[in-house]
Amino acid sequence: MGCGPRLGPPRVTPAATPATLPLVHVQADPWRWYVVADMGALGERVWFLDTGYAHTTCDDDLVRELGLATKGRVPVRGEGGRVPATRARLPAYTLGEHGVEGHTCVVRDLDGTSSIQDTEEVPIAGVIGMDLLRRFRVEVDPGEAQLVLTDPAGAAPLDASEGGVVRLKRDHPFGLRITVPVRVDGAALHPILDTGATRTLLDTRVLARPPDRVQHGVRVRSTGGEAEQTMTLHWYEVAITLGGHPTPPLEVAERTRHGDGLLGVDVLSRFRFVLDLGRHRARFEPIDRARPPSWRRFDRKRRGEVQEVEPVEALD
């Protein structure tokens, strides 16, 4: 991987007070979650939230703006193939009262090599990955449009006897990403919990039936050498049960490589969930499916240009 700062968990000085960070969406990406983070010395930044990324990734524009040196080589493998990248060490920053030091991020042009597109609304600093999230107890609340990061040492363990509590696994023995148990039409699967996937992709071979719909010539953006590709997708209408809670029937796409698949925002936006990563537990509480406010409206509202309460948009 060459010389340069090593990838690894950043050093976090936890605070007694949780960091509550707003979630928004951008116009070009209406389904997925972006985090508005006041990072102290780094200023306010908007990051994409992706539990499907092992390592936090900085867009090359952010690295140039901050004047950071890039060193080394990192091979990145995504749904669309492999893409070369490099590394940079971020200056010390804060999230709420939590201090973060020694955070090395992967560096590449996200617009050209991933599903995250440049937007005129607000610069996207990069992708918050599991290397940072694993340092906290993580709560995602789509209904309240917020991400809450808490010192895990001061948080009570999730009670396995409570409803909605499941045991998490790593995607491989030393992996940073996590898999979550679900039942799909009665079959047991452990897909990766992936807030970066708009739609759920599963190993549908367990269904032992032909697809309900085949869609040709679909333009798909994903991490890889070419961000946008044309694919044929096989769709299945299924019922998914997460934490003992069934979802309404929904369409999932076939994915028959790299494990049991990806559990995406089409499912996760129906739940308020807490990830106790150190204890390998999570709790899922069903809510009405919701997406966060747009960045533009969020920004106008806090500047006093929008006075009414922001409604939560139903996606069904």
Side-chain angles (χ1 to χ4, degrees):
M1 292 172 55
C3 300
R6 296 182 60 184
L7 294 174
R11 298 186 301 276
V12 172
T13 304
T17 304
T20 300
L21 309 177
L23 295 176
V24 297
H25 75 264
V26 296
Q27 186 175 7
D29 193 0
W31 310 101
R32 300 184 298 176
W33 301 322
Y34 292 74
V35 181
V36 183
D38 184 344
M39 304 179 70
L42 299 187
E44 183 179 88
R45 304 287 175 175
V46 176
W47 295 79
F48 182 58
L49 178 65
D50 194 346
T51 55
Y53 267 42
H55 296 283
T56 294
T57 298
C58 296
D59 187 67
D60 55 356
D61 287 340
L62 173 70
V63 170
R64 281 193 292 268
E65 178 192 338
L66 296 178
L68 304 180
T70 59
K71 295 182 180 180
R73 297 185 304 275
V74 182
V76 176
R77 186 181 69 180
E79 290 292 303
R82 292 181 179 270
V83 59
T86 185
R87 302 189 294 272
R89 176 66 57 83
L90 287 169
Y93 63 88
T94 57
L95 293 171
E97 298 300 319
H98 303 304
V100 183
E101 297 179 280
H103 194 181
T104 297
C105 63
V106 176
V107 181
R108 56 191 169 96
D109 173 19
L110 289 172
D111 182 69
T113 63
S114 80
S115 64
I116 303 157
Q117 298 174 260
D118 288 340
T119 169
E120 294 181 358
E121 296 169 81
V122 61
I124 306 303
V127 181
I128 295 177
M130 289 300 293
D131 58 337
L132 178 62
L133 295 176
R134 277 192 169 275
R135 311 302 289 168
F136 301 99
R137 178 167 169 152
V138 178
E139 179 180 349
V140 177
D141 189 337
E144 295 296 325
Q146 62 186 25
L147 169 71
V148 182
L149 303 177
T150 304
D151 177 9
L158 297 176
D159 187 346
S161 66
E162 292 181 357
V165 175
V166 301
R167 183 167 180 80
L168 303 172
K169 296 181 180 180
R170 293 178 182 262
D171 66 322
H172 58 80
F174 301 102
L176 294 176
R177 301 184 300 175
I178 54 174
T179 69
V180 59
V182 299
R183 298 198 71 83
V184 181
D185 284 358
L189 291 174
H190 275 79
I192 291 170
L193 190 148
D194 191 355
T195 61
T198 305
R199 300 290 292 267
T200 292
L201 311 173
L202 296 177
D203 186 348
T204 53
R205 290 175 294 188
V206 299
L207 302 177
R209 61 179 171 88
D212 297 301
R213 181 168 67 96
V214 178
Q215 191 176 13
H216 300 282
V218 182
R219 292 191 304 169
V220 176
R221 289 185 64 91
S222 62
T223 292
E226 295 183 7
E228 186 168 295
Q229 301 181 42
T230 300
M231 302 178 64
T232 295
L233 298 179
H234 296 81
W235 295 97
Y236 295 76
E237 185 170 301
V238 299
I240 295 178
T241 299
L242 175 58
H245 304 294
T247 68
L250 52 85
E251 276 194 321
V252 301
E254 180 182 58
R255 183 181 188 265
T256 55
R257 59 190 179 92
H258 307 320
D260 286 353
L262 309 173
L263 192 69
V265 172
D266 54 342
V267 172
L268 296 174
S269 60
R270 302 172 188 271
F271 293 89
R272 178 186 302 112
F273 56 96
V274 177
L275 306 177
D276 190 346
L277 299 165
R279 300 182 178 99
H280 311 292
R281 292 284 190 274
R283 183 177 64 234
F284 293 89
E285 177 186 351
I287 61 172
D288 291 334
R289 192 181 183 201
R291 70 180 176 192
S294 69
W295 158 258
R296 286 179 177 176
R297 188 173 181 86
F298 167 83
D299 191 41
R300 289 175 56 209
K301 182 180 177 182
R302 66 177 176 173
R303 288 189 278 114
E305 296 178 20
V306 177
Q307 300 297 328
E308 71 270 20
V309 175
E310 171 69 35
V312 174
E313 300 181 53
L315 302 184
D316 290 330

